[in-house]
Amino acid sequence: MIDQNRRQFLTATAGAAFLASTTSPSDVIAAPAKVRRIATEEHIAIPEVLDAFSKLAATSTSPNVKYLQMFYGNPLYVRKLTNMDVRLAEMDRAGLDMQLLLHQSVQDFSAEEGTALAALANDRLAAIIKEHPGRFAALATIAPQDPQKAAAEIERAMTQLGLNGICIYSHTQGEFLDDPKFWPIFDAAVKHRAAIYMHPGFPPDSMVAPFEKYQMVAALWGFQAETGLHAMRMILGGVFDHYPDLQIVLGHMGEALPYWLYRTDDIFALLMGDEFAPAGRRARPGGQAPGMVRLKKRPSEYFRANFHITTSGMFWNPTLEYCVKLLGAEKVLFAVDYPFEETEIGVNFMKHAPLSSRDRALILHGNAEKLFRIKASLDAVL
Ligand code: MN
């Protein structure tokens, strides 16, 4: 919601407030109303990884591997993941200027194989960016199975390859990033100012069974349940007290966390004793509950400081308006989720979303340019 004064201001300036400091009035009058569109959760895979995954799936007993192979082995997805002409045609049809590429997970391989495949994929991503100037940016894929080598790959990707951040497909063979053994990855991410896109995975093998009924294992419920859990583990484990500058990106409008912030703060206060209790809330008898980590802030404060969210697969105005109101448009980025969602549907959703011109520009490209250090393209702004 924007208030009346701001609405009048935006109307009076013909939606040009965003450009006020960088262009002259004559530029604004002459420019057509075209806002640059960058989609920030767009999947890609190199054939070498898909082939290696098929081999792994042929012998693995892991439900996670079996489910992932249903995606990686689907001919429709394989074509859209691997063929650049198909991808560019869909972007052009929809009027999408740029995709931020996320390579598919290498987290189910052995540490050695995953590390080698990640390096190969990142080399290929860097080449794609060069071959198609202005159309692609990319996040580095890593194999957290070997945290030290993953950290070294982050350094290589952010310095030598010029990639735009990091993508992690949530848990790694049942292990979560609140475990300090993974924290070399955060050291490298903070050092190189690389945001981490925490993309969903299937629920780990230890908790997948209850999701297997009614096809709930994937995007119907399993992905958001697993990724929301992972983000909460990072918050409650104190990751952001150790890394106050670390930035995590969650897709699908925040994997439901924005909806729960009141309750997580409230129950957190109850479990911590009186220190975090809001006025009028009773303190827990006996003080801090077992297993809690003494944090500096409430869960919602970390969510506001250390997280961005994207619109991937959530093209729905009520959630968009709620998240913009709750977090600010500065924390919301446009994403489609190619090839699992249609680019045209995502772009049309943003065209008609009830947003001010300023907020629409931030969500469609300004926030992505800043967070992922994508070169701003002034001529495409308006
Ligand atoms: Mn996705």
Side-chain angles (χ1 to χ4, degrees), residues 79-98:
R79 182 159 181 267
K80 292 183 89 173
L81 286 168
T82 56
N83 186 311
M84 293 306 292
D85 294 335
V86 170
R87 177 183 304 271
L88 283 159
E90 178 162 328
M91 291 168 69
D92 291 343
R93 261 199 319 275
L96 181 68
D97 297 293
M98 176 182 271

Side-chain angles (χ1 to χ4, degrees), residues 15-281:
F18 186 79
L19 281 184
S21 61
T22 51
T23 55
S24 69
S26 59
D27 290 335
V28 172
I29 291 161
K34 163 72 171 79
V35 181
R36 186 188 198 189
R37 302 185 182 108
I38 303 174
T40 57
E41 189 196 305
E42 313 316 312
H43 297 281
I44 190 167
I46 60 170
E48 290 88 337
V49 168
L50 296 178
D51 291 347
F53 203 88
S54 293
K55 288 199 184 85
L56 177 69
T59 55
S60 173
T61 55
S62 160
N64 257 251
V65 171
K66 178 184 75 179
Y67 285 121
L68 209 47
Q69 179 59 14
M70 286 168 61
F71 282 73
Y72 289 7
N74 179 318
L76 174 68
Y77 291 149
V78 169
R79 182 159 181 267
K80 292 183 89 173
L81 286 168
T82 56
N83 186 311
M84 293 306 292
D85 294 335
V86 170
R87 177 183 304 271
L88 283 159
E90 178 162 328
M91 291 168 69
D92 291 343
R93 261 199 319 275
L96 181 68
D97 297 293
M98 176 182 271
Q99 283 188 340
L100 178 71
L101 300 171
L102 282 66
H103 192 278
Q104 297 297 80
S105 171
V106 296
Q107 291 166 227
D108 291 293
F109 296 108
S110 69
E112 194 182 350
E113 189 175 15
T115 301
L117 287 170
L120 183 65
N122 292 334
D123 287 344
R124 208 67 61 76
L125 292 174
I128 288 169
I129 292 170
K130 277 207 187 80
E131 280 163 32
H132 305 274
R135 300 309 302 274
F136 298 105
L139 301 181
T141 193
I142 58 167
Q145 302 91 303
D146 187 330
Q148 275 72 29
K149 286 188 179 153
E153 182 64 10
I154 290 168
E155 171 145 16
R156 188 180 82 93
M158 296 304 291
T159 55
Q160 296 174 36
L161 299 183
L163 299 191
N164 302 83
I166 304 156
C167 174
I168 299 179
Y169 284 78
S170 202
H171 75 86
T172 300
Q173 300 177 31
E175 294 191 296
F176 295 87
L177 297 176
D178 56 308
D179 185 332
K181 79 173 188 181
F182 291 114
W183 292 10
I185 292 169
F186 298 144
D187 286 327
V190 169
K191 182 179 172 193
H192 297 287
R193 294 194 296 124
I196 299 176
Y197 204 118
M198 179 64 69
H199 187 279
F202 290 97
D205 293 348
S206 60
M207 63 182 268
V208 77
F211 291 87
E212 292 186 307
K213 207 167 183 184
Y214 315 121
Q215 298 285 339
M216 293 207 309
V217 73
L220 185 59
W221 199 249
F223 286 165
Q224 48 268 50
E226 189 276 337
T227 315
L229 169 74
H230 200 162
M232 280 307 293
R233 284 185 66 125
M234 290 174 68
I235 290 172
L236 295 174
V239 166
F240 302 104
D241 282 343
H242 284 265
Y243 300 98
D245 295 328
L246 183 63
Q247 288 299 319
I248 303 294
V249 184
L250 294 175
H252 317 101
M253 291 291 196
E255 312 292 2
L257 263 67
Y259 188 82
W260 289 106
L261 292 183
Y262 171 86
R263 189 156 168 82
T264 48
D265 276 4
D266 195 46
I267 303 302
F268 176 73
L270 189 70
L271 291 167
M272 291 304 289
D274 57 3
E275 187 183 333
F276 292 93
R281 188 73 157 102

